[in-house]
Each structure stands twice: as C-alpha cells, then as structure tokens.
Amino acid sequence: CLLSGSWRSDTGCRMVVSILSKDGRFSGSYLPGSAASDPQILTSPLEGSQQDTGLVPQPTFSFTVHWRLRARTTAFLGQCYVGTNGEETLHALWLMREAADSSAEDWKATR
C-alpha cells in the first residue's frame, strides 16, 4: 500500500501525494471538500511520512497540512489498508490547530 497518487475522502477532500521517497517521506497537496462552495479556499501543501511497506503490508502514516490564507495547521495520523480485492483505503484521524490571539483563548484553538 503506497500513498503516492490521488486520494478522495467521503466528504470530498482531495489529497495528492506527488513525491514518495525511499525512506517513506512524501509531499503533495490537499484541498478540503468545502472548496467547492468557497472559491477563496486554495490547495495547501502537505508533508508526511509512511511506515516502510517492506516491514508491514498495511503501513501507518502521518502528514501535516499548512493551510494557505489561514493561520491553521492540521495533522493527520492513520493507516493504509489493502482489501481482499486489492483496493487501498486510508483510515485517518485529524487534529486542527488555529492560531489563538492570546493564551486565554488557547482552549478554543484546537479541534
């Protein structure tokens, strides 16, 4: 299971992994599903790493997205599964952090 290529989520988000190095590092772009209704949302860069597929056939991965035009960063952590029919599926959790104006507002900056 290799992350290189194009992926689409159930909510319409699109991730394109354009470079996957031998050591498992990758980069690419991410476009949220809400971009279809908001033309100000731009494709944002992503960087991450994937577990060595030589060690496990269904590797774990992580990547971060640094949003353009917004003071936000999202971290994704998941695993790539290969079904009996050979179809690859990603399962991931995410955590988004927005810049807070002060430490008193820190509580509402993470989703």
Side-chain angles (χ1 to χ4, degrees):
C1 188
L2 295 175
L3 291 178
S4 59
S6 182
W7 299 86
R8 184 172 300 277
S9 75
D10 295 340
T11 60
C13 299
R14 189 169 51 102
M15 175 178 78
V16 176
V17 176
S18 54
I19 299 170
L20 184 62
S21 68
K22 290 182 181 183
D23 66 355
R25 295 181 196 177
F26 60 88
S27 63
S29 60
Y30 191 89
L31 186 66
S34 58
S37 62
D38 186 349
Q40 291 189 347
I41 297 177
L42 302 173
T43 300
S44 295
L46 67 82
E47 292 187 27
S49 64
Q50 176 181 340
Q51 189 177 20
D52 185 349
T53 57
L55 298 175
V56 292
Q58 302 184 115
T60 59
F61 62 87
S62 65
F63 64 92
T64 57
V65 176
H66 300 282
W67 299 102
R68 296 180 192 228
L69 301 180
R70 297 191 177 167
R72 294 180 181 169
T73 299
T74 304
F76 292 81
L77 180 65
Q79 187 168 357
C80 185
Y81 294 99
V82 181
T84 55
N85 62 355
E87 183 178 323
E88 297 175 335
T89 304
L90 304 181
H91 289 247
L93 297 172
W94 60 270
L95 185 64
M96 184 172 69
R97 176 66 188 211
E98 296 180 275
D101 293 330
S102 69
S103 62
E105 294 182 4
D106 186 67
W107 64 273
K108 66 180 181 178
T110 302
R111 297 184 209 181

